Amino acid sequence: MWLGMEHLLFRDDILPPITVPYICSEDYDGGDFHSFPERRGWDVSTWQWSTPEDGFNLNGKSVRDMAAFLQTWLFFGLLNSVLQIVLKDDFIRADDKGQLFLTTRLLPSYLNDWEDRITPLGEEEKKYTNDKVLTCLAEASVTNDWLTWLLKYGEYGSDFELLRRTLFAQTLLLEALKGAESQIFHGELFSAKARVDDFLRAQMLEAGWCISTVDYMQENLPLYTQTFAFSLGSVRTSLDHSQCIADRTSGCRLSRVGQDYKPKHVTLDCQCAFIHSPIDEIIKVLRSGMIPLITIKRVDDEPCSLNLAVDGVDLSHPDLPCIGGPYVAITHCWADGLGNMEENALPQCQLERLRTMTQTLQGTTAAKLSAIYEMKASRFNTVPFWFDTLCIPVKKEHQGLRDFSIQKMHDIYAKAAGVLVIDPDIQQLPFEATPLEAMTRILCSGWRARLWTYQEGTLAKHLHLPVHGRTFNFYQEKDVLPLDNSGKNLIEIQLIQDAWLRYTGLVWDIVAQASIKVSPERALISMLKAISHRVTTRQDDETICIATFLGIDPTPLLQAHAEDRMSILLALLPVTPPELLFATGPRLQMKGFRWASKSFLIPYGLDDNMLPSLPKRCIQNSADGEVEQDIPRSFLHPDGLGLAVFLKAIRIRRPRNPISYLFSISIPGDCTYVIEARDTLTGIPWESVSLEKFDESAILLTESDISLFVESVHEIDSGECLARWKFIVTVNKLSDFANIQGFDIAEQNRLEGEYVPFRWWVVD
């Protein structure tokens, strides 16, 4: 018998991977939710002032006592206070040995019943009820979040495992109740924040998940999505990820390919022959300026004999339909065995599987266009496709044709009628799989973790996800969640809508896709944030992929040495967003580009936690008085001095002694600010920043607490101030932290500062 968080399971053949013991030593008394701790002799207020170093106050009791109390209060007490009518036994079940566990199998029916009771109420009664619910949810959230944070950053042993498991169950319950509350009272989607949970993290690593996937999930997905993904499992858990754990900052090491790379058969015992592309026809098509397309067909209807036919498509032809060309482009990870370094060929078993997948595309835009344009594939009930392994010549003498193909990469995917995703985790889903399962699998897939697949997925007009015997194509929200939701419970609706939101932001980035032409800086920021969670075997590919995604001709990059490519790319960009100053990682050493990160790939790049909100408007003095104006765009200085940004700042006078990573700045007529250096992963410690060696330093301010510390050099004739990039820092008012232990260090390291209105800073 399996017991656990069954409210997240929507098919009988999926089993809950985690169980949570029932450990309550008493029943919830049915009284006021907020005063329950006091009635039971617990002072929970001390927890909010605890630190990971000091630990939290157990109120003179054991960890098990604390876990039991919290389960009574924040699980059963919350259920009772929010839903009102709760039979405790409905949430407790025994296993075959009589041991008691929590079960949420009936939670969806309880939420539906709650909706039925709330719907007929008048507006005033609804508001009164909703206010009471929200106060309970808020207190439970604060307590649960604080304890989870303390457990994460403190040093707590295995005796706290039960508490971690209890908090995990309570967090899932909170997410379910918040989602239902939002739908019932407001008719809106509640999207839970991404969640770091050490208990689930440990469970996934123990089950064989790659640490890079777990890190990505905890940084980007809510706990209910992570738990659902865990229940679905992954074929990659059968691999040995111990080296990934040892080198946790470099992504999945098993996703990289080396010089000994060989294509894989569908099964380990398969010995079928390789089938080669008609390379002469491929070359002929490429030399004519077109892109080759492959059709897989049987020879004389023999079951084990395949042949490849070639068509060509001119992607620059003015009559190419806006809905796409008559083909699909295939996207895949080479580590899954579909690449080939030595020849344009694949095992017959892989081609047979590809043929089956393309046959499931009947009725799609690609299939309809294939018939209209009389492509060869239309005669074989399949669809022509572009596939790098078969369509880009690998021999050295064809390097020019390889470069041509790379130059066309943006158009190959953007102008295809669809893009077909090849990934084993998705392929192994059964025919009866749901859209939720498919979206969750791709969010956590090996395919999503690669550099080139961001471009290939985001540029797609239609993204096709093949499973056993069928293909999913999610184009609109109604494709994943029909308008008639009567057959689905509130929790399933919440998970589907949230998965759709993440799918269209992390996999098929429709905002970035739409921004490439109208707002390239927005598209660039979206891509750089995404690839900070991605890797590539060939580091040289990074700048080329960024360029082709933005529709920039990569020829100058292909012709340059690898170490020069990032500065060349930055010079090629139509705009240079100031957000690039806040990327983490080692910097370039070339004059004028020493502000720029060498790489935006994992573990560096643009991190949401280090990305500031930049000002859009400012007040400037003029002959007519103060005038509000738009902030001018940043730009690369024409004299190669650095990146010019228009920001306000705090100028710092030279201190007499070295300054700690935590210090304060007092500004006459304003207030005192606390400055804390952030780890920007440059490999250069804060101690090496010698403020006392410079006449001036400055902090370039943004609209949020994330700001940039620079060593100012001097002002040039044009009025711009030259500065050297040094560190990303946080800036907050001292009064906001006066009661927090440790900020006395900031008081001991106080400097005098001066506010500087908006002006041009050229940062190198």
Side-chain angles (χ1 to χ4, degrees), residues 51 53 106 137 212 224 228 322 357 370 426 438 479 522 546 650 684 725 733-734:
T51 65
E53 294 77 20
L106 295 179
L137 294 176
S212 65
Y224 50 62
F228 183 69
C322 62
M357 290 179 188
S370 176
I426 301 167
D479 296 328
R522 185 175 184 182
I546 295 171
I650 298 173
I684 300 174
W725 190 100
K733 291 183 179 179
L734 179 64

Side-chain angles (χ1 to χ4, degrees), residues 459-701:
L459 293 178
K461 288 181 167 59
H462 293 272
L463 200 60
H464 300 290
L465 311 180
V467 301
H468 276 300
R470 63 183 294 205
T471 297
F472 284 107
N473 173 29
F474 308 130
Y475 189 67
Q476 303 176 66
E477 188 175 13
K478 68 181 180 64
D479 296 328
V480 300
L481 186 65
L483 294 177
D484 179 12
N485 292 329
S486 58
K488 298 184 182 297
N489 64 58
L490 295 175
I491 296 172
E492 189 172 5
I493 293 172
Q494 178 184 348
L495 261 70
I496 292 173
Q497 289 183 319
D498 200 283
W500 169 252
L501 179 67
R502 315 279 170 172
Y503 177 81
T504 54
L506 298 171
V507 175
W508 186 43
D509 192 342
I510 55 178
V511 172
Q513 181 192 93
S515 302
I516 291 174
K517 291 184 178 180
V518 297
S519 180
E521 66 273 24
R522 185 175 184 182
L524 175 63
I525 295 301
S526 290
M527 182 183 196
L528 296 185
K529 287 169 63 177
I531 67 174
S532 67
H533 296 284
R534 295 175 183 244
V535 294
T536 182
T537 300
R538 290 174 53 87
Q539 195 77 17
D540 301 356
D541 284 354
E542 178 182 356
T543 54
I544 297 169
C545 184
I546 295 171
T548 56
F549 173 71
L550 296 173
I552 297 171
D553 183 358
T555 300
L557 299 169
L558 293 168
Q559 296 172 346
H561 292 295
E563 62 271 18
D564 298 328
R565 286 181 174 178
M566 185 59 75
S567 59
I568 293 173
L569 171 68
L570 294 170
L572 289 173
L573 294 176
V575 291
T576 312
E579 286 90 345
L580 300 189
L581 290 169
F582 297 88
T584 61
R587 318 317 271 187
L588 298 177
Q589 297 304 307
M590 182 185 301
K591 188 179 186 309
F593 290 96
R594 289 175 288 199
W595 56 271
S597 179
K598 289 183 178 179
S599 173
F600 294 96
L601 296 174
I602 188 173
Y604 310 122
L606 293 183
D607 181 347
D608 273 332
N609 294 322
M610 301 277 269
L611 204 57
S613 173
L614 291 163
K616 301 292 189 294
R617 306 273 293 173
C618 67
I619 303 294
Q620 290 288 90
N621 293 321
S622 70
D624 299 324
E626 292 186 341
V627 177
E628 185 177 7
Q629 66 179 40
D630 290 337
I631 297 290
R633 278 186 168 179
S634 57
F635 60 93
L636 286 180
H637 197 278
D639 296 330
L641 300 178
L643 179 63
V645 292
F646 196 73
L647 292 171
K648 57 187 176 180
I650 298 173
R651 184 173 279 146
I652 308 169
R653 299 171 188 171
R654 187 201 310 196
R656 296 188 179 91
N657 302 304
I659 295 297
S660 163
Y661 74 97
L662 190 66
F663 61 98
S664 59
I665 301 176
S666 179
I667 299 179
D670 190 352
C671 65
T672 299
Y673 293 90
V674 171
I675 315 299
E676 183 176 10
R678 303 291 294 268
D679 182 5
T680 47
L681 305 180
T682 59
I684 300 174
W686 169 260
E687 290 74 19
S688 68
V689 180
S690 304
L691 280 71
E692 69 275 14
K693 294 181 180 179
F694 287 82
D695 289 334
E696 285 187 353
S697 298
I699 296 173
L700 308 188
L701 301 173

Side-chain angles (χ1 to χ4, degrees), residues 229-507:
F230 187 31
S231 72
L232 290 178
S234 167
V235 299
R236 289 181 169 87
T237 57
S238 63
L239 305 174
D240 179 8
H241 291 282
S242 58
Q243 290 302 309
C244 305
I245 295 175
D247 178 23
R248 58 171 298 180
T249 62
S250 300
C252 181
R253 295 175 67 89
L254 302 180
S255 67
R256 302 178 182 181
V257 298
Q259 293 301 315
D260 58 346
Y261 175 85
K262 299 293 182 184
K264 297 178 183 177
H265 292 264
V266 173
T267 59
L268 292 176
D269 58 348
C270 181
Q271 298 293 325
C272 67
F274 276 62
I275 296 180
H276 292 73
S277 281
I279 194 64
D280 291 340
E281 294 181 54
I282 296 285
I283 291 171
K284 182 178 179 181
V285 170
L286 287 170
R287 284 177 174 166
S288 70
M290 296 193 294
I291 294 300
L293 303 176
I294 300 293
T295 292
I296 304 175
K297 61 180 183 177
R298 289 199 184 280
V299 178
D300 300 327
D301 294 328
E302 295 179 17
C304 296
S305 183
L306 299 178
N307 198 355
L308 303 182
V310 177
D311 281 304
V313 61
D314 181 0
L315 297 181
S316 61
H317 197 285
D319 293 334
L320 193 74
C322 62
I323 57 175
Y327 69 100
V328 294
I330 289 179
T331 173
H332 67 108
C333 299
W334 272 50
D336 293 328
L338 286 171
N340 195 328
M341 295 181 177
E342 299 176 355
E343 52 189 356
N344 296 103
L346 282 174
Q348 180 169 302
C349 59
Q350 292 284 16
L351 290 173
E352 183 63 62
R353 185 165 61 169
L354 281 175
R355 179 176 175 274
T356 301
M357 290 179 188
T358 55
Q359 285 179 319
T360 66
L361 296 174
Q362 293 305 308
T364 64
T365 302
K368 294 174 183 176
L369 289 172
S370 176
I372 292 172
Y373 282 82
E374 298 181 346
M375 308 299 283
K376 294 171 183 175
S378 63
R379 302 198 299 270
F380 301 98
N381 296 318
T382 183
V383 174
F385 58 84
W386 184 92
F387 192 8
D388 57 355
T389 305
L390 301 176
C391 296
I392 301 180
V394 298
K395 301 300 182 183
K396 289 184 178 180
E397 60 264 30
H398 299 135
Q399 184 62 47
L401 298 178
R402 290 177 58 80
D403 290 348
F404 171 77
S405 298
I406 293 172
Q407 292 163 7
K408 290 290 186 180
M409 201 66 72
H410 177 99
D411 284 350
I412 286 172
Y413 286 93
K415 295 186 176 183
V419 172
L420 186 70
V421 179
I422 309 296
D423 180 88
D425 269 333
I426 301 167
Q427 291 167 329
Q428 294 198 12
L429 283 171
F431 180 87
E432 61 273 14
T434 64
L436 175 60
E437 292 167 23
M439 288 189 293
T440 303
R441 272 280 172 85
I442 198 170
L443 280 168
C444 308
S445 65
W447 174 85
R448 184 223 51 81
R450 305 299 294 170
L451 168 64
W452 282 98
T453 58
Y454 173 80
Q455 170 180 248
E456 294 158 5
T458 293
L459 293 178
K461 288 181 167 59
H462 293 272
L463 200 60
H464 300 290
L465 311 180
V467 301
H468 276 300
R470 63 183 294 205
T471 297
F472 284 107
N473 173 29
F474 308 130
Y475 189 67
Q476 303 176 66
E477 188 175 13
K478 68 181 180 64
D479 296 328
V480 300
L481 186 65
L483 294 177
D484 179 12
N485 292 329
S486 58
K488 298 184 182 297
N489 64 58
L490 295 175
I491 296 172
E492 189 172 5
I493 293 172
Q494 178 184 348
L495 261 70
I496 292 173
Q497 289 183 319
D498 200 283
W500 169 252
L501 179 67
R502 315 279 170 172
Y503 177 81
T504 54
L506 298 171
V507 175

Side-chain angles (χ1 to χ4, degrees), residues 63 157-166 199 202-203:
V63 178
S158 58
D159 52 332
F160 283 81
E161 180 69 11
L162 185 60
L163 179 57
R164 291 188 180 93
R165 194 178 291 253
T166 301
F199 171 72
Q203 295 289 311

Side-chain angles (χ1 to χ4, degrees), residues 42-56:
W42 285 85
D43 181 7
V44 301
S45 64
T46 61
W47 297 341
Q48 296 185 24
W49 300 108
S50 300
T51 65
E53 294 77 20
D54 299 336
F56 41 74

